[in-house]
């Protein structure tokens, strides 16, 4: 592993420390996990470039968040 220095706002640092204590995990472990999940998120190839009867500009953000959190399966659009 390689070392990195990270500056956090005071409130975010407080929440991180609290979560680490509650879960009995290191802050570094939580940061690595969160960063890995964030970087693994699918990126939309195109939004609004076609017509979709289920998704619209108003609903696509919630749909993407559900996919990122594993609450629904992605489906091909095209």
């Amino acid at each position: 592993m390689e070392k990195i220095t990270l500056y956090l706002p005071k409130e975010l640092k407080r929440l991180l420390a609290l979560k680490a204590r509650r879960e009995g995990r290191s802050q570094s472990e939580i940061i690595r996990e969160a960063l890995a999940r964030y970087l693994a998120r699918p990126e939309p190839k195109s939004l609004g470039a076609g017509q979709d009867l289920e998704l619209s500009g108003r609903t696509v953000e919630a749909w993407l968040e559900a996919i990122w959190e594993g609450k629904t399966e992605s489906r091909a659009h095209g």
Side-chain angles (χ1 to χ4, degrees):
M1 261 190 246
E2 295 193 29
K3 183 178 179 177
I4 184 170
T5 301
L6 182 66
Y7 292 90
L8 299 174
K10 193 176 212 174
E11 179 62 10
L12 188 55
K13 172 68 171 105
R14 185 187 72 76
L15 292 171
L16 176 61
L18 182 63
K19 183 169 184 70
R21 268 194 312 275
R22 284 184 179 162
E23 295 184 5
R25 299 166 58 198
S26 71
Q27 292 179 27
S28 295
E29 183 182 359
I30 292 169
I31 291 170
R32 282 191 298 270
E33 181 182 295
L35 186 56
R37 282 184 176 186
Y38 176 80
L39 294 175
R41 287 175 151 189
E43 293 186 29
K45 294 183 182 359
S46 175
L47 295 176
Q51 185 174 9
D52 189 310
L53 300 177
E54 295 179 39
L55 293 176
S56 70
R58 292 187 190 123
T59 62
V60 74
E61 187 172 321
W63 176 76
L64 285 171
E65 286 178 3
I67 289 174
W68 292 334
E69 294 172 3
K71 293 179 182 174
T72 187
E73 291 184 29
S74 63
R75 58 185 174 89
H77 283 86

